[in-house]
Amino acid sequence: MAELSETYACAPSTERGRGILISGDPKTNSIVYTNGRSVIIRRLDAPLEASIYGEHAYQATVARFSPNGEWVASADVSGTVRIWGRHGDRVLKNEFRVLSGRIDDLQWSPDGLRIVASGDGKGKSFVRAFMWDSGTNVGEFDGHSRRVLSCAFKPTRPFRIVTCGEDFLVNFYEGPPFKFKLSQREHSNFVNCVRFSPDGTKFISVSSDKKGIIYDGKTGEKIGELSMEDGHKGSIYAVSWSTDSKQVLTVSADKTAKIWEIMEDGNGKVKRTLASPGSGGLDDMLVGCLWQNDHLVTVSLGGMINIYSASHPDKTPISFSGHMKSITALACTLQSGEKVILSSSYDGVIIRWIQSIGYGGRLVRKDNTQIKCFAAVEEELVTAGFDNKVWRIPLNGDQCGNAEPVDVGSQPKDLNLAVQIPALALVSTDSEVIMLRGLQVVSTIKLGYGATASTISPNGSEAIVGGQDGKLHIYSIDGDSLKEEAVLDKHRGSITVIRYSPDASMFASADANREAVVWDCVSREVKLKNMLYHTARINCLAWSPDSRLIATGSLDTCVIIYEVDKPASSRITIKGAHLGGVYGLTFSDENSVVSAGEDACVRVWRLVQ
């Protein structure tokens, strides 16, 4: 059987020009955020401990822990709120269709009985408050004419709700049942976030007009504002209060986070500015923040999470990140003696992961093009993208050297290196196979069929090309020329992936009709058949280093591991390995499978005999 040993979770999904509202649970020191259809819960003191909930039918937008920390309410772009148990098998308590458009923020009442949600109502209501168990309305929320970006529940009695949005208004409601009390027009641009102080005496709203305004928590009247002296130079996207209600943390598009002291008269002055570690590019704009216990958490547009200490803000922050988009390729390589997992997502981000440590940094390339496929050897990365170019990038730890591209004429479908002579690479396009030595194209063969997958043997003496017709064409490599030796015909669908075993005695192929086959290299006979346990197209396969196990990953979200010497029926199946399908597989050692998929996460599975 296989057990999950590590999850390298995805980063929060972000959007230019919008804040993201992350939240936390101070008791367990956890934060919760969303990416795609997934809701991710992470421990701040143990970032490797991530649990992921993937039951939303649409893209999730925001999630919040209940006051007792036992339940999570999460919302999505369809206007649905799901309330589910945080522990165990995550039982669904309730599901309500709250708004007719996207939900941008939601908040629990301090007694955990009511929830308020705000967002885009497509012309109808933009805010709703309801009972968590029955979904019945607890008030009327008039007064907004455009999308409501944030809402907050007063944490002490008498209860109040405050909302803010794209109509530049901050609205104040009394209840329950909640009804409109007053509207504040202090801002001159979108109001991005509103939050009550933990003691309930004040609340603050921050806006794209670079201002922050503080109000009385009981009456809703303005009492002060954040000083413009040494203030933010860009839109303020999010705000979070300290636990003692005396300070706030704000983040802005000017790439800084600021800690403000809120004085007795209700005005705020800057106590400290936290510069974000980074190159100062667009991706370093800060879009989300959270003050939890002694942790100050900031999130950048590029998905980087920085954790500062509130008591020692001068200390270098702990930083970690992950992919934000679907992972398309995965490789495991040795770098200066340590095992490193490299994963690339379709937006061109390559991340290093170190087993049992986690995030090991981003590989920064000079030319950040999208990546279709890549292969890695110890000190070099070879990538192929949508721009018809193949790049050879020298690796130096987490830095990339200067890369040189070679244009192969049309879009590469598959890219493989001869492991023993890594200068030799085989690239297949729709109708050609191209052999590269270093950056020289040494031969190009026009094929009489549509090629969908290819591979080259570890010693560079043989190549196999798979076609749309399900046939495997075997070529011998003599010097720089390829000669067709045999055609194998067993598959019933177009070939999706072919891989040689590390000892070069076998190769495995898989097709779009959910079947995989292991072949003997010498006799070219089928060695393991009936590998028909997936329910959809097989996207990737990988061999264990000792050539004993083979793993296949599919669009049906499963990973299946077969032993070559045993019948296919004695397989190990990992169900639901990745929401949306598995797109990358590799072995980090004889008993560890690494998988990656559309949910932008990387997982390490230990095989237990």
Side-chain angles (χ1 to χ4, degrees), residues 19-23 32-33 61-64 104-106 149-151 192-195 237-239 287-289:
I20 62 163
L21 305 170
I22 56 171
S23 71
V32 59
Y33 59 82
T61 52
V62 62
R64 295 263 179 268
D104 287 304
D105 197 5
L106 61 83
L149 297 175
S150 183
C151 56
N192 293 317
C193 185
V194 62
R195 290 290 175 258
Y237 286 130
V239 60
V287 292
C289 67

Side-chain angles (χ1 to χ4, degrees), residues 402-509:
N402 288 331
E404 289 295 319
V406 54
D407 198 317
V408 293
S410 64
Q411 190 181 310
K413 284 270 178 138
D414 210 343
L415 163 74
N416 286 281
L417 300 180
V419 183
Q420 291 160 18
I421 25 176
L424 184 63
L426 186 79
V427 180
S428 62
T429 67
D430 262 340
S431 56
E432 294 177 329
V433 174
I434 297 132
M435 236 165 70
L436 303 171
R437 281 188 196 275
L439 285 167
Q440 297 292 298
V441 175
V442 291
S443 78
T444 302
I445 293 191
K446 285 259 188 283
L447 303 170
Y449 53 90
T452 51
S454 63
T455 188
I456 186 166
S457 64
N459 62 5
S461 65
E462 193 176 65
I464 305 171
V465 181
Q468 253 167 347
D469 52 6
K471 292 188 170 73
L472 297 168
H473 301 256
I474 300 180
Y475 295 86
S476 60
I477 300 173
D478 184 13
D480 293 338
S481 63
L482 282 90
K483 178 166 157 256
E484 189 167 325
E485 294 284 337
V487 178
L488 305 178
D489 190 359
K490 179 167 185 350
H491 287 284
R492 293 187 293 268
S494 69
I495 309 293
T496 52
V497 58
I498 317 165
R499 290 288 177 268
Y500 274 96
S501 62
D503 64 6
S505 67
M506 298 167 281
F507 64 89
S509 54

Side-chain angles (χ1 to χ4, degrees), residues 186 211-214 222-228 266-269:
E186 299 287 341
K211 287 204 295 201
I213 295 178
I214 296 129
K222 175 182 169 181
I223 53 175
E225 57 184 270
L226 300 181
S227 151
M228 293 306 276
N267 288 310
K269 70 172 199 299

Side-chain angles (χ1 to χ4, degrees), residues 319-330:
S319 299
F320 55 87
S321 185
H323 287 288
M324 295 167 76
K325 298 274 192 288
S326 166
I327 299 175
T328 51
L330 193 64

